[in-house]
Amino acid sequence: MTERSCKGSTFSLLTASLPKEVEVGGEHYPLCFDFRCGILLTELFTDEEVFDGGSMMRLAVKLLSPTLFEAVEDGRVSLADAASAVKDFYFCGRQAGSGGGGEKVLDFAYDDERILAAFRMTYGIDLCTESLHWWVFMALLRGLPRDCELMRVMSLRATDPSLIADDEARRRLRRAKAAVRIPKKKGKVL
């Protein structure tokens, strides 16, 4: 059984209730825990146009919990404490990120059709109509079979051409990678 640590305690998706609120300063604040909010947070956290970390975290808190955002605005909760709760929810239940530094292998907006198709074909879930907790969505996303289109594209994006010895094979790989490369974002997310 895979267990995850969240704020020092052990959490298992199979044995515990999924969080629908966060506790900050002894108060409980409801969360937008639907996967769509998680996707919007991902887009926000990867938006290169949001330079100011404080502004980004204010937007993240407002998106994930409007009542927590109100508490920040009223001065009842510090932005740092609220941001910490948002990050804990966003990352808890997930393995560490892809390590960064490499080429991005998944973009929720660009890969939306592949994600929809993969969930429909693999799990029979229509993401346009279903509501899934962010943590369940991420567990299912990570559990997609390697032979589905989304996972093949992600694997292709992650493959390093410099590791290919044969010149022709390396050229074919670079052409294939170019065909599925995630374009640079234009415009604001939120």
Side-chain angles (χ1 to χ4, degrees):
M1 174 168 66
T2 302
E3 296 190 67
R4 293 151 181 91
S5 175
C6 184
K7 287 256 184 191
S9 63
T10 301
F11 179 89
S12 168
L13 289 173
L14 300 175
T15 60
S17 297
L18 294 167
K20 296 181 178 177
E21 61 184 21
V22 291
E23 183 179 347
V24 181
E27 296 291 322
H28 292 266
Y29 299 92
L31 291 168
C32 175
F33 54 86
D34 185 76
F35 75 95
R36 292 166 185 89
C37 289
I39 289 172
L40 288 173
L41 277 176
T42 302
E43 296 294 313
L44 176 63
F45 291 152
T46 58
D47 187 342
E48 294 176 4
E49 292 192 22
V50 181
F51 297 109
D52 178 5
S55 295
M56 179 186 298
M57 288 317 301
R58 290 178 74 76
L59 287 170
V61 170
K62 188 174 185 178
L63 173 66
L64 196 62
S65 179
T67 56
L68 179 56
F69 181 74
E70 288 174 17
V72 169
E73 291 292 291
D74 294 346
R76 292 177 282 140
V77 173
S78 73
L79 178 59
D81 289 344
S84 178
V86 165
K87 285 189 236 176
D88 285 343
F89 174 77
Y90 178 78
F91 288 109
C92 192
R94 288 183 51 181
Q95 296 173 3
S98 62
E103 187 173 339
K104 188 175 178 182
V105 297
L106 177 68
D107 181 276
F108 287 115
Y110 186 69
D111 293 316
D112 61 343
E113 292 178 359
R114 289 183 183 103
I115 296 167
L116 287 171
F119 271 68
R120 177 67 70 96
M121 291 184 339
T122 303
Y123 306 118
I125 296 173
D126 181 352
L127 291 175
C128 293
T129 59
E130 293 292 324
S131 179
L132 292 174
H133 192 283
W134 171 240
W135 292 5
V136 172
F137 171 79
M138 290 304 297
L140 293 173
L141 183 66
R142 285 190 305 273
L144 287 169
R146 290 181 186 197
D147 65 343
C148 78
E149 174 71 12
L150 176 66
M151 298 307 273
R152 286 195 312 265
V153 166
M154 289 172 60
S155 177
L156 179 60
R157 288 174 182 157
T159 303
D160 183 354
S162 68
L163 300 177
I164 308 296
D166 180 64
D167 288 340
E168 182 54 34
R170 192 171 43 252
R171 278 192 285 280
R172 282 193 309 270
L173 176 60
R174 285 191 175 124
R175 282 193 298 271
K177 284 175 68 77
V180 296
R181 183 169 291 123
I182 299 168
K184 293 281 185 191
K185 295 236 192 278
K186 293 179 181 152
K188 297 253 183 219
V189 172
L190 299 174

